[in-house]
C-alpha cells in the first residue's frame, strides 16, 4: 500500500505470514521485491527469503467523495518460478498468496 509519503508492506502473503507468526508458527516468507521494499517494518517474527526484482508489487488506492475505492496496479509483481527457493525441510504448511499472475497454476505441486 502507498500513502502520500510512506510505502507500507501489505497483501495476503505479508498479512498471512504475520498472522501465522503471531500464532507461534515459524514462518518463512518468500517473495520477489524491488529496492523500494520497506524490509524493517515486516521483519517481526519472520524469516525473509527475498529475491531481487526491478520493483515491488504495489497498488494505489483512491477514494472518491462517497468512500468508493478504486485500486490501481502501480507495479506488477515479478514472476516466481518453481524451484527458485529450496523448501524448508520442517515445513508443515504452504500458504500461497499470489497477487497478479506471479505463479503458474500448479507451481507448488511438488512442495
Amino acid at each position: 500500500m502507498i500513502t502520500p509519503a510512506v510505502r507500507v508492506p501489505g497483501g495476503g502473503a505479508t498479512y498471512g505470514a504475520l498472522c501465522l507468526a503471531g500464532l507461534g508458527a515459524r514462518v518463512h516468507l518468500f517473495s520477489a521485491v524491488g529496492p523500494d521494499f520497506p524490509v524493517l517494518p515486516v521483519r517481526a517474527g519472520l524469516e525473509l527469503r527475498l529475491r531481487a526484482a526491478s520493483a515491488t508489487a504495489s497498488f494505489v488506492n483512491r477514494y472518491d467523495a462517497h468512500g468508493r475505492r478504486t485500486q490501481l496496479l502501480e507495479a506488477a509483481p515479478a514472476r516466481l518460478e518453481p524451484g527458485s527457493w529450496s523448501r524448508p525441510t520442517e515445513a508443515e504448511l504452504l500458504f500461497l498468496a499470489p497477487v497478479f499472475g506471479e505463479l503458474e497454476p500448479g507451481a507448488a505441486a511438488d512442495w
Side-chain angles (χ1 to χ4, degrees), residues 9 32 34 69 84 87 89 111:
R69 180 181 74 173
S84 295
R87 177 184 181 202
T89 56
W111 275 53

Side-chain angles (χ1 to χ4, degrees), residues 35-47:
D36 58 339
F37 182 71
V39 174
L40 293 176
V42 177
R43 292 195 67 108
L46 305 179
E47 181 176 326

Side-chain angles (χ1 to χ4, degrees), residues 2-104:
I2 301 170
T3 63
V6 180
R7 294 181 91 70
V8 179
T14 300
Y15 297 135
L18 289 170
C19 179
L20 291 167
L23 292 170
R26 183 171 175 217
V27 179
H28 302 261
L29 177 59
F30 296 81
S31 191
V33 299
D36 58 339
F37 182 71
V39 174
L40 293 176
V42 177
R43 292 195 67 108
L46 305 179
E47 181 176 326
L48 299 177
R49 296 188 182 197
L50 305 176
R51 289 269 199 228
S54 60
T56 302
S58 58
F59 295 84
V60 174
N61 293 318
R62 296 200 176 113
Y63 296 89
D64 68 15
H66 302 288
R68 291 182 294 241
R69 180 181 74 173
T70 300
Q71 187 172 62
L72 305 170
L73 178 64
E74 181 181 71
R79 298 280 305 157
L80 301 176
E81 300 300 329
S84 295
W85 292 282
S86 60
R87 177 184 181 202
T89 56
E90 71 282 358
E92 295 181 21
L93 172 72
L94 175 62
F95 172 74
L96 300 174
V99 175
F100 195 78
E102 62 270 39
L103 288 174
E104 291 290 329

